[in-house]
Amino acid sequence: VMNRRSMHSSQRKMKMFVFDVETLGVESNAVVLSAAMVHFDPEKRPTYQDMLDNACFVKFNAKEQMDVGRTVSKSTLEWWKEQHEYVKKVSLEPSREDMTVENGMQKFYDYMAKIPNASQQTMWARGSLDQLVIDSLAVKFGLQEITGYNRWRDVRTAVDILYNKTDGYVDVDHPLFKRHEVIKHHPVHDCALDAMQLMYGKQT
């Protein structure tokens, strides 16, 4: 029987991605505000800063999506109003840097195209919404999904199994990691934190 330690060891032999989205709802057809993707190789023992530096981030144009029927949840909008001003600026507030869906997805395609065998690597996300909403967005605009549906895996489940947890979160055991530097609800930071938990979770 494979125990947690051996699962963790075998995991280090695989290169992988973490993906995260920020949305205006919790349905698959919700407006996508922003998204990020980070590729990492556990064998290279990357730091949190390595994750931030290696990320691909896209801020989408929300109006373009609403014009074609993507949805906005009132409760999610209220939730956003309660978030830190910096986080709202990163994902919620319109800016000149906002990308069309086509250009934003192309940025992800280009990022993955630089990585050998990217389409065969695991794409981690926290739960199922990230996969559903980014795939739905691609299909709505006649674009290719970023990876195959069978490449997606859930961070929560992995963390719980690897580290004997029940809430999908674990303390990170890495000398350069400082929890207070994590910016919650920033897609790049959310990706980096999940990768750190997968690689360096502290056994209890």
Side-chain angles (χ1 to χ4, degrees), residues 21-33 70-77 79-80 126-134 136 156 185:
V21 296
E22 297 297 335
T23 69
L24 285 178
V26 293
E27 301 294 333
S28 62
N29 64 346
V31 167
V32 179
L33 296 172
R70 304 289 293 184
T71 62
V72 177
S73 162
K74 183 179 179 181
S75 61
T76 303
L77 270 179
W79 177 88
W80 272 109
R126 181 160 289 271
S128 59
L129 178 63
D130 302 76
Q131 175 187 2
L132 292 172
V133 77
I134 201 65
S136 171
R156 291 192 187 102
H185 310 305

Side-chain angles (χ1 to χ4, degrees), residues 114-175:
K114 298 176 182 177
I115 299 164
N117 301 314
S119 64
Q120 300 304 310
Q121 296 181 27
T122 296
M123 184 73 69
W124 292 98
R126 181 160 289 271
S128 59
L129 178 63
D130 302 76
Q131 175 187 2
L132 292 172
V133 77
I134 201 65
D135 283 356
S136 171
L137 183 67
V139 170
K140 183 68 176 180
F141 282 80
L143 303 170
Q144 180 66 43
E145 295 93 335
I146 57 174
T147 194
Y149 75 93
N150 60 336
R151 305 313 306 172
W152 291 87
R153 301 292 186 273
D154 175 28
V155 172
R156 291 192 187 102
T157 303
V159 166
D160 283 354
I161 292 172
L162 286 170
Y163 304 112
N164 195 30
K165 302 290 290 185
T166 59
D167 62 357
Y169 288 95
V170 66
D171 290 337
V172 174
D173 184 14
H174 189 283

